[in-house]
Amino acid sequence: MKDRLRQHIADALQACFSQGLLHSGVTPEIVLELPARSEHGDFATNLAMVLAKAEKKSPRQIAEIVRSALGDAGGIVDKVEIAGPGFINFFLAPGCWFGVLDEITEKGSAFGRSSLGCGMRVQVEFVSANPTGPLHIGHGRGAATGDAVASILEAAGFEVQREYYINDAGNQVNLLGRSIWLRLRELLGETVDFPEDGYRGDYIREIARDLLGGKGLEIAQLPEAEALGVCGLFGMQTVLDWIRRDLQEFGVRFDNWYSERSLYERDMVALELDKLRRKGLTYEDEGALWFRTTDYGDDKDRVLIRSDGTPTYFASDVAYHMEKFERGFHRVIDVWGADHHGYIPRIKAVLAGLGHAPEDLEVLLIQMVNLLRAGEPVTMGKRSGEFVTLRDVVEEVGRDACRFFFLMRRSDSQLDFDLALAKEQSADNPVFYVQYAHARICSINRNAAEQGVEVPKHGEADFSALRLEEEIALAKILARYPEALESAAKQLEPHRIVFYLQELAAVFHSYYNRQRVLTDDAQISRARLYLVNAVRTVLANALLLLGVSTPEQM
RNA sequence: GCGCGAUUAGCUCAGUUGGAUAGAGCGUUGGCCUCCGGAGCCAAAGGUCAGUGGUUCGAGUCCACUAUCGCGCGCCA
């Protein structure tokens, strides 16, 4: 509808030029916005104000000329008003809004999808938590966000890969091994000196017990260095299994699990660093190899290879990101904890050195989650090393509430997550409110079936039976869904979908409360069924992107 | 100290590329069940968009400075 109107305006403008009513020949992009107030019509454009300078006429004069050239825009415009400093306000013919219902019914689950991305290959890398402990609530927010962003991009016509980067090569694996080894010896009755920086969570003891139940006694006989290696590997595999299981139960699926260790096994780090060296992007100083990140806006240069010859984490990360582009992705999106924001300039500097545009890599920062219960902060465990796990929260409030809550705010702003609210079965709980709208429509469908009233098939609804303001309002908000999805895709902001859903649900609940769908008048009943089922389709399409289910009854 | 981000209603937050009288939920106050699921709906009150200056037809939005808060500044990962 918006596009049709835009085209009519563009045509009218051209007509003005060819008839000599306007002279500049300037054709700005025609911006149509949704006015905040209904007195300002359904759409408004600032076209006349933009043209004022080039035309050397007042905006209102220009607006008047454009209006007369536009006429009724092929019947879709009811009324055009010129207001304020020179806005042109369009009031659409009421009936034309219902065309979107046919479109929704025809396209079904494809309604809202677009080809914005033109099949461009994008990688979204997210979670990527170190395999040294269970996923906690912060990882959960990253998981929900990354997954939703990936789904939104898919819906916008990108070809998306979801990747998890496993940090299985660094010191933390050794430390994990040592922590398990010490707990294992503790279980064997020894007194151990547990290091300050060891992993102190109870899960370490759990892993040690598992190991002991298997071949722990043999391990205890091994030389320490060897035993540490076995413990580290076993611990990492155990934790990775937990992570996979938790993510699966959270409804998050990855296309690829990428091992940092494999970078070394394939010599990729050395290979990629060599490329940098040849490009003159590195230098040696004090026995270490440095990257000239300052040439590309970083605060200081960074070490790739330490003076003792071992690579830094940065080195493998550089190789990893270089390889992402070599794998053919045109866009790479990383989802990181917000505390890593200082790391962005470094990685961007590397990519800039390799000739990539800064926007080829986008980093989404995930802010902290404050866990509350009925308004009171939930304390993060008794001992150090303990935190609230994703698993615990999903078990308590369910997957749907969890995912919805994680996505309710912009990802880079802190989030209050109230466990009590997330479980509540009332309108106060936003997840429930939205899902309930869907369930209600399903309930209406069941009643309709019982009464023998059929939902009209595509194109068979009689819109003349839809005359109410609320019905037009519903059609209008449904028509906005593709835009909401598009802006969420452009900005990488899933919360826009959440806000849209809450608004749509509110308009529906309000309508439901005032008007009966199933009435004595079969014609009206059928038309309203058609309308509310379009609502149901859009609710389902949007919830699917967020990874939230669409219950038929609750 | 330097860098990044934030500051919008009592609370938690939205606010598209700069547009007209700044929005929502919660909380507060007051209403609505003969009715497809009241697991819901309607209404009211509530604002110096942190402050100052600038850019322009027009600023919550862009720029500069100030204040406050958060985070980051390893040859850690």
Side-chain angles (χ1 to χ4, degrees), chain A residues 179-192:
Chain A
S179 305
I180 294 169
W181 168 238
L182 291 170
R183 291 303 186 212
L184 191 141
R185 286 170 52 185
E186 227 173 39
L187 289 169
L188 292 170
E190 291 178 45
T191 312
V192 299

Side-chain angles (χ1 to χ4, degrees), chain A residues 3-20:
Chain A
D3 294 332
R4 278 171 63 190
L5 179 60
R6 186 181 288 123
Q7 190 55 50
H8 281 297
I9 296 166
D11 293 346
L13 187 60
Q14 286 312 316
C16 291
F17 289 138
S18 59
Q19 290 166 28

Side-chain angles (χ1 to χ4, degrees), chain A residues 216-232:
Chain A
L217 290 172
E218 290 167 42
I219 292 164
Q221 310 296 322
L222 292 174
E224 179 166 324
E226 214 174 307
L228 288 178
V230 173
C231 287

Side-chain angles (χ1 to χ4, degrees), chain A residues 245-270:
Chain A
R245 175 200 63 191
D246 290 355
L247 286 170
Q248 192 187 339
E249 285 171 14
F250 196 45
V252 174
R253 171 191 59 78
F254 285 90
D255 301 305
N256 200 27
W257 295 74
Y258 194 103
S259 152
E260 180 186 6
R261 184 173 289 185
S262 79
L263 280 169
Y264 288 104
E265 287 164 359
R266 291 176 295 139
D267 250 348
M268 287 305 296
V269 179

Side-chain angles (χ1 to χ4, degrees), chain A residues 97-106 458 463 466 474-475 478 527 530-531 534-535:
Chain A
W97 285 105
F98 294 116
V100 74
L101 304 184
D102 282 337
E103 191 188 341
I104 293 168
T105 309
E106 185 184 8
H458 169 243
F463 297 145
L466 300 175
L474 267 172
L478 290 172
Y530 197 70
L531 171 66
V535 173

